[in-house]
Amino acid sequence: MPARVRPDEVTTVVHVLEAFRKLDPDLPIQYALSFMTIAQNEGISIGELAERLGIAQSSASRNVAALSRWHSFGKAGLDLVQAQEDPRERRRKIVTLTDNGRTFLEELRAIVSPREMRPAKSA
């Protein structure tokens, strides 16, 4: 018998998805998954991102572009991540969060773990 899903858990997931939808009402779930994977693995390469998500490297590159400052064709992106050339291997791009990306991640953390539920920080 499958475990029961608590209504508050479903509500939390809905709130997280709504936060992504506020960024862009038409945001594909693949962009959200890309953002979350980058947030969990800052400094990941586009190739590693593609591997973790099980998508083509070209798709991972497009996702990163959409999450970056400038999307394709000069269209503004979401400015949540930035890709920079790896100084040790110039063909490799390393992806990290921007300040906007860190702010958005904090918004998601507040949804998932409201302040009253977070463990107190040690001094």
Side-chain angles (χ1 to χ4, degrees):
M1 182 172 186
R4 294 193 134 213
V5 176
R6 295 187 342 241
D8 61 315
E9 293 173 326
V10 173
T11 299
T12 298
V13 172
V14 168
H15 288 307
V16 167
L17 293 174
E18 285 173 346
F20 276 103
R21 202 169 85 190
K22 283 180 190 172
L23 292 174
D24 178 351
D26 299 319
L27 186 123
I29 195 72
Q30 199 173 100
Y31 292 2
L33 290 170
S34 294
F35 175 79
M36 297 306 294
T37 302
I38 294 163
Q40 286 182 307
N41 305 280
E42 268 205 86
I44 192 171
S45 72
I46 291 177
E48 291 165 332
L49 177 64
E51 189 175 308
R52 285 180 190 246
L53 293 176
I55 60 177
Q57 188 162 338
S58 59
S59 294
S61 185
R62 270 191 301 277
N63 294 351
V64 168
L67 294 169
S68 296
R69 181 171 289 182
W70 298 108
H71 196 292
S72 55
F73 308 112
K75 177 182 169 191
L78 297 172
D79 193 25
L80 299 175
V81 304
Q82 60 188 0
Q84 296 178 312
E85 187 178 279
D86 183 339
R88 296 170 302 208
E89 189 180 334
R90 296 181 63 194
R91 292 183 306 167
R92 188 171 186 246
K93 300 281 188 210
I94 301 299
V95 188
T96 57
L97 298 180
T98 61
D99 289 341
N100 287 344
R102 289 182 209 295
T103 299
F104 182 64
L105 183 59
E106 284 305 313
E107 290 174 27
L108 296 179
R109 280 189 176 129
I111 293 168
V112 173
S113 181
R115 234 179 244 296
E116 63 270 6
M117 295 178 61
R118 291 187 205 170
K121 290 184 181 179
S122 56

